[in-house]
Amino acid sequence: MTIPLKDQEWESLFEEAIKSLSELIRFKTVNPPGNEKPAADYLAEILSRNGIEPKVIESAPGRGNVIARLKGTGERPPILLDGHLDVVSAEPESEWKHPPFSGKIADGYIWGRGALDMKQTVIANLMALLVLKRSGMKLKRDLIFAAVADEEAGCKYGAEFLVENHPDLIKAEYGLGEIGGFCMEMSGKRIYPIEVAEKGVCWLRVRAKGEPGHGSIPAPQSAVIKLAAAVKILGEKKLPYHLSEPVRVFIIRLAESLGGIKGLMLKRLLSPSLADFIIDRMLPDKKLAKSFWAMLHNTVNPTVIRAGDKTNVVPSEATCELDGRILPGQTPEDLLREVKENIGDGYELEFIKRMPAASQNPDDPIMKIFEKHLKAHDPAAIVVPNLIMGFTNGSHYSRLGIKYFGFSPLKLKPGESFQELFHGFNERVSLDGYKFGLRVFLETVSELVTDF
Ligand SMILES: [Zn+2]
């Protein structure tokens, strides 16, 4: 069922959303330390004022999470609308055209840290509850609103805390969240990727040991030199190719939509014997090539190296931490084995952090609903399922069996890149693009809770 609003009413709803978004950006929720509580209280106050009872849960001093529920008949299981209140640093602020915590509206944009990631989604989620409540429409499903702390630093005080301590407040069949539903221009076509999967985390520590000694005597077998050899190998050798289901569907859909030579080349990525060659040699856009690489392989990046603390002492031990990421269908043990096979014997390997990949069916029926409403407002929209390399709240929610999809629609202007604005200076959302996204989103959610 669609929301019974006239064009003029949509306009005033949009005005209301923009005002709230601007106000929400003004809460400086840079994580660390986060300090999301005042922002959570702000949203709770709006919910209460609209007759929806909020719960503000402090997971640690200052770390606020706000949850609310619009009741349905219970005929179908709930839908969770997920958002995080924290943002990444905006330093140095002098790089910004408008101060990052001003929520300034200028030049057709709303500016500020969090405008895109992801306070715009938090407000869209809020508006969904408000508009459905006001409409008096009968819902088959409960609609749950969760705006949480700490996503940018690993979710410990937000999604992870709720999953472990308050699962009943957020349990749902589907969760809708970030990183999806915005458009990207490719070969003159507008592609809307929707996140259906997130890579898992597998951080590793590699330890090399060797004879200690005095720095004045050469030690070609020292721990530091052994470790350096392993790091060099990890930089040069590639881990094996793996084709996961969400990536297979993504490549096929994208190839079919683009057609021509590009389409043919993309389809070659499905072949284990051709993919690495195509990525290395045939993709002129190196950024894109790296993204395709990460979609088709587990990866490890050496990030923290430790050894010795005196210039004239050869240390007996050297360690390197690896940021490892695993594809859906792969386990931390698989990655450990791949790293071992590459660097050879003589190293101790241990896990630092493990989090499984989260993956939904790329052909889940909900995808058709997303597509229908995007196409209603952008008939040229091409919708494809997508795997993201990082993790979001979705990886935690999926532990409760919630089917999490990144769907936060937004129309970007030609030449605007989501990846560049996300966490970048001058983060902003165009008013036109947000207006488009908000209407698509509200119509989608309305159908999901009444007819799906
Ligand atoms: Zn985010």
Side-chain angles (χ1 to χ4, degrees), residues 36-272:
E36 300 90 346
K37 176 76 165 41
D41 287 338
Y42 165 78
L43 295 170
E45 195 277 322
I46 298 178
L47 287 159
S48 309
R49 207 187 323 132
N50 282 274
I52 303 166
E53 191 196 329
K55 271 196 178 68
V56 175
I57 297 174
E58 237 177 315
S59 48
R63 311 308 300 266
N65 298 275
V66 55
I67 298 157
R69 179 181 297 251
L70 202 56
K71 286 295 279 178
T73 59
E75 217 174 303
R76 306 279 297 141
I79 301 261
L80 168 71
L81 302 181
D82 161 57
H84 63 81
L85 293 168
D86 60 321
V87 296
V88 296
S89 159
E91 296 292 335
E93 297 194 9
S94 56
E95 292 285 332
W96 290 69
K97 189 170 170 194
H98 300 289
F101 299 100
S102 63
K104 174 129 178 141
I105 298 166
D107 320 320
Y109 287 92
I110 178 153
W111 300 74
R113 176 59 83 226
L116 198 60
D117 179 20
M118 67 178 289
K119 288 177 173 172
Q120 51 107 359
T121 312
V122 170
I123 295 300
N125 292 346
L126 175 76
M127 297 314 291
L129 266 82
L130 301 190
V131 76
L132 287 165
K133 168 86 182 171
R134 290 171 194 165
S135 75
M137 283 159 77
K138 197 170 151 201
L139 315 187
K140 280 186 187 167
R141 301 175 184 260
D142 286 5
L143 186 61
I144 305 170
F145 171 86
V148 306
D150 203 27
E151 193 272 346
E152 300 291 357
C155 313
K156 186 172 173 211
Y157 298 106
E160 188 176 351
F161 177 85
L162 293 177
V163 165
E164 277 163 16
N165 298 283
H166 301 278
D168 291 341
L169 292 181
I170 48 168
K171 238 183 224 160
E173 181 181 12
Y174 289 100
L176 268 49
E178 63 181 326
I179 330 269
F182 53 86
C183 61
M184 290 163 57
E185 295 273 338
M186 279 180 104
S187 304
K189 303 202 167 150
R190 268 198 304 286
I191 314 284
Y192 289 79
I194 290 174
E195 190 226 283
V196 302
E198 303 185 356
K199 270 183 123 170
V201 172
C202 172
W203 293 351
L204 296 168
R205 186 176 291 112
V206 184
R207 180 175 282 109
K209 289 186 171 165
E211 276 294 305
H214 194 274
S216 61
I217 307 295
Q221 293 301 315
S222 79
V224 172
I225 290 179
K226 271 198 217 165
L227 185 77
V231 171
K232 185 165 186 282
I233 289 170
L234 291 172
E236 286 170 351
K237 280 204 197 166
K238 312 249 163 103
L239 300 183
Y241 171 96
H242 303 286
L243 184 61
S244 61
E245 181 59 11
V247 174
R248 190 185 68 80
V249 178
F250 165 73
I251 290 174
I252 290 176
R253 300 271 156 82
L254 190 62
E256 282 165 0
S257 319
L258 296 180
I261 304 239
K262 270 197 185 143
L264 280 177
M265 201 161 71
L266 281 174
K267 277 196 183 154
R268 300 268 187 279
L269 294 175
L270 301 174
S271 152

